[in-house]
Amino acid sequence: MPRYLLMVNHDNGVVDTGFSEWTPEEVAAHMSYYDALGRDLAESGEIVQFMGLADPRLARIVRSDGVSAPVVSDGPFPESKEVLAGFQVVDVESEARAVEIAARVSAVPGPGGVPIQQPIEVREVMQESGGDV
């Protein structure tokens, strides 16, 4: 079966606020939604990996020529809405199923329980890209 990477952008969709401005209950509902989705995909055998990423301000860029010590910097980075916030790797029957799952991810609740319509990029994983560890 093909695998797809579902990339969650840091863009908050239709919501203009971040977690720091949400109530604790809204943050809990948001994370509970992801937990339930992860359980559903585990039960169906479609999930390979499912995780969020730390704040993009903690990210580092590493460049190396393979000989000298690597150069590590904390930027420059793209606009925060273009930064990866999390991802899922799914092993599904078709691209259509990957899109269905991406739609569920996009509908994660935000303030007031309203789906935030977060943009999710769906990309097929190359079959010859290195394999599992």
Side-chain angles (χ1 to χ4, degrees):
M1 288 195 300
R3 287 186 175 181
Y4 289 86
L5 175 64
L6 311 180
M7 294 179 280
V8 180
N9 291 341
H10 206 265
D11 179 327
N12 285 335
V14 298
V15 176
D16 292 332
T17 58
F19 275 174
S20 63
E21 298 176 50
W22 297 11
T23 67
E25 295 79 17
E26 291 167 337
V27 172
H30 184 89
M31 299 311 289
S32 291
Y33 180 94
Y34 275 124
D35 289 342
L37 177 58
R39 282 191 305 275
D40 287 351
L41 296 174
E43 288 173 10
S44 69
E46 295 174 304
I47 195 68
V48 175
Q49 194 166 24
F50 192 101
M51 61 181 45
L53 300 173
D55 188 304
R57 292 173 293 192
L58 301 174
R60 300 294 174 260
I61 295 175
V62 178
R63 298 180 197 277
S64 175
D65 62 8
V67 178
S68 306
V71 176
V72 180
S73 65
D74 60 359
F77 293 112
E79 292 183 47
S80 68
K81 69 180 181 177
E82 298 168 346
V83 172
L84 189 64
F87 65 91
Q88 296 81 34
V89 178
V90 294
D91 193 357
V92 294
E93 290 289 334
S94 66
E95 180 180 297
R97 178 61 180 145
V99 168
E100 287 176 17
I101 296 168
R104 289 183 65 189
V105 176
S106 179
V108 65
V114 175
I116 65 174
Q117 302 174 43
Q118 195 165 30
I120 310 301
E121 183 177 340
V122 178
R123 298 201 34 205
E124 187 170 359
V125 176
M126 293 172 51
Q127 295 298 319
E128 302 297 322
S129 65
D132 295 324
V133 177

